Amino acid sequence: MIDSNSEVNSAKQEHLAEAGGSASPAPLWFPEQPAKPIRLLPPLALAYIGDAVFEVAVRQHVMAKPNLRPHHLHGQSTKYVSAKAQARLLALLEPQLTDDEKDIVRQGRNAKSGTVPKNANVIDYRQATALESLVGYLYYTGAHDRLRGLIADGFKLLEEEK
């Protein structure tokens, strides 16, 4: 059960941030915090949570489209969650990234996962991991407005290319 005061405070914080005022980072979706400070989390751990957050963003995006048949939803989702699509999305977003975000992307791209991608080449797979690391980092740092903005811009840019 969510405390109504925390909902009000969260709404105030997001409103302050949007208005350019100072506010603390947005709260996480659930109360458990990572075991280490965010900057000390391994890039693959950030990619792990980033994959889940990105998946929710993609599902919400395709749910906003008119065709809601399950098979169609899955087909639309795969256009965004494949390693190739994520690599392309990252390439489109890179000019918008801050130096800190570029550093997180570099660390994610250089992380050695120890697994071989099944349906992607190694370069796309590493770029996809880099994007997921960035998403995880923005989620855990509470930069949810920034995260939503980058993902929305990326979706728009991907759709304009097609």
Side-chain angles (χ1 to χ4, degrees), residues 9 13-14 16-17 22-27 141-142:
N9 288 338
Q13 288 174 351
E14 288 199 32
L16 281 173
S22 62
S24 59
T141 58

Side-chain angles (χ1 to χ4, degrees), residues 46 101 133-144 146-147 150:
L46 290 173
E101 292 166 347
S133 295
L134 176 63
V135 170
Y137 173 77
L138 293 172
Y139 170 73
Y140 267 141
T141 58
H144 299 173
R146 174 72 174 152
L147 175 60
L150 284 173

Side-chain angles (χ1 to χ4, degrees), residues 81-91 109 117 119-132:
V81 297
S82 70
K84 185 175 183 175
Q86 288 181 342
R88 184 65 194 136
L89 189 133
L90 180 61
R109 183 178 52 244
N119 299 316
N121 67 49
V122 174
I123 294 169
D124 286 348
Y125 186 77
R126 289 213 173 139
Q127 290 294 96
T129 301
L131 175 69
E132 291 170 349

Side-chain angles (χ1 to χ4, degrees), residues 29-30 37 70 76 123 153 160:
W29 296 347
F30 301 96
Q76 290 300 305
I123 294 169
D153 287 351
E160 286 173 358

